[in-house]
Amino acid sequence: MSMFIDAMAHLNDPRIKDLESILQRAKNAGITHIINAGVDPCVDAALPTSTTPIIYKAYGIHPMAVGNNTLDTQLEALHLRLKEDNVVAIGEIGLDRRQGMPDWNLQVEAFQAQLAMAQTMKLPVILHAVKASGQLLQELNKGPDLPASGLWHGYTGSVELVNQIEKAGL
């Protein structure tokens, strides 16, 4: 039997009005598992239990959500969410240099704190990097080491950076 995994969905996006039809379309397309990536652990809506496809959870503070609450509040909420059933990763986390994004230094601080949490909890990460691939790699190289690898999402870097990303275990 084939297994197809949607490795990065946002099923609790508030714009989704009919989750059941989305899950049915996924099932009809042969998707057996979905990893739902969170954006802000303080506000991410709970997801229904689904057996086909099976929904796994990832929670993180997306760069666009950094500063929606104090970082301590967001990190505390993240720590609690990561203790839920079916959590398989920390994400979506990262850095984003697009215009209108939250303060860069706060993004870096949130990213480093979440990397430390991933290391402590031995969870893989789902990374978001837009116009910040080189800087994100620099932050990864500062540590802490990723104990369980991860997935790089939102890549906008050069071909040359791909080898460095692979060396980082992503």
Side-chain angles (χ1 to χ4, degrees), residues 29 65 68 92 108 119 126 151 153 169:
N68 285 352
E92 180 176 355
V108 171
Q119 183 182 49
I126 300 173
L151 170 73
H153 161 77

Side-chain angles (χ1 to χ4, degrees), residues 28-66:
N28 293 345
I31 304 294
T32 57
H33 300 76
I34 297 173
I35 298 174
N36 186 75
V39 175
D40 185 342
C42 294
V43 297
D44 285 335
L47 292 170
T49 301
S50 172
T51 55
T52 51
I54 297 169
I55 299 174
Y56 293 101
K57 304 173 196 171
Y59 290 108
I61 306 166
H62 189 286
M64 73 179 181
V66 169

Side-chain angles (χ1 to χ4, degrees), residues 62-73:
H62 189 286
M64 73 179 181
V66 169
N68 285 352
N69 281 291
T70 67
L71 184 54
D72 286 343
T73 298

Side-chain angles (χ1 to χ4, degrees), residues 30-140:
I31 304 294
T32 57
H33 300 76
I34 297 173
I35 298 174
N36 186 75
V39 175
D40 185 342
C42 294
V43 297
D44 285 335
L47 292 170
T49 301
S50 172
T51 55
T52 51
I54 297 169
I55 299 174
Y56 293 101
K57 304 173 196 171
Y59 290 108
I61 306 166
H62 189 286
M64 73 179 181
V66 169
N68 285 352
N69 281 291
T70 67
L71 184 54
D72 286 343
T73 298
Q74 287 181 302
L75 290 170
E76 183 177 317
L78 176 58
H79 191 260
L80 290 174
R81 299 302 291 263
L82 291 172
K83 293 180 180 180
E84 292 179 9
D85 291 337
N86 287 347
V87 170
V88 295
I90 293 182
E92 180 176 355
I93 68 173
L95 301 172
D96 195 320
R97 284 257 191 215
R98 288 178 292 178
Q99 187 173 356
M101 294 301 286
D103 176 74
W104 177 257
N105 292 328
L106 189 56
Q107 285 188 53
V108 171
E109 183 181 355
F111 181 61
Q112 282 296 336
Q114 291 175 97
L115 289 178
M117 202 175 287
Q119 183 182 49
T120 300
M121 299 182 89
K122 296 180 177 27
L123 287 170
V125 294
I126 300 173
L127 299 178
H128 170 99
V130 177
K131 298 184 178 182
S133 297
Q135 293 99 332
L136 192 139
L137 270 172
Q138 288 174 3
E139 292 301 320
L140 281 175

